[in-house]
Amino acid sequence: MKKLFAVLLLMFPLVTIADFAAGLEAYQRGDYATALREWRPLAEAGNVDAQNNLGAMNYEGQGVPKDEVRAYAWAMLAFKGGSTDAKAAKEYLQKNLTAAQIAEANKLSSEICAKIPSCVR
């Protein structure tokens, strides 16, 4: 039983990588619904690359309605989690949002973060 548990633990990162790669392949094909299905659970589990990608998809309206507030919320989570790629997105969005929109995005990112055990607050 211990060996099975150890094998499952070792496989988890590979599954995560495979899901991310499947999302990337779908995104590159323009299959945004599949990319979202692959990336959303990863983002909600704390994967900063998936969070950054969800932010970009929300900004562009790819597979979801265009939503700059939600884009900023995801970019902020990715940035706080250590994504260097999200820094530029966060800064760009911040310049183009109103103070009320930023406050709304901060509230949303806090709500999402509260559900992620590894989230940096």
Side-chain angles (χ1 to χ4, degrees), residues 26-37 39 57 61-64:
Y27 181 86
Q28 290 170 338
R29 288 192 313 269
D31 182 358
Y32 303 128
T34 298
L36 284 168
R37 268 195 314 275
W39 287 340
M57 293 179 76
Q62 297 170 317
V64 294

Side-chain angles (χ1 to χ4, degrees), residues 63-86:
V64 294
K66 184 176 173 79
D67 186 340
E68 292 178 354
V69 169
R70 190 167 292 277
Y72 183 80
W74 282 115
M76 178 62 75
L77 284 170
F79 172 72
K80 285 182 177 180
S83 171
T84 55
D85 293 334

Side-chain angles (χ1 to χ4, degrees), residues 104-116:
E104 182 183 350
N106 286 333
K107 181 180 180 221
L108 177 59
S109 69
S110 292
E111 290 169 1
I112 296 167
C113 187
K115 298 175 186 175
I116 302 171

Side-chain angles (χ1 to χ4, degrees), residues 1-59:
M1 185 64 150
K2 287 182 183 179
K3 286 182 182 180
L4 175 61
F5 185 69
V7 169
L8 291 174
L9 282 177
L10 291 173
M11 288 176 53
F12 180 74
L14 297 176
V15 171
T16 301
I17 292 167
D19 292 345
F20 187 86
L24 184 59
E25 289 173 10
Y27 181 86
Q28 290 170 338
R29 288 192 313 269
D31 182 358
Y32 303 128
T34 298
L36 284 168
R37 268 195 314 275
E38 296 293 339
W39 287 340
R40 184 171 282 127
L42 296 175
E44 291 172 348
N47 181 299
V48 296
D49 295 320
Q51 290 170 346
N52 192 48
N53 290 352
L54 287 187
M57 293 179 76
N58 276 274
Y59 178 75

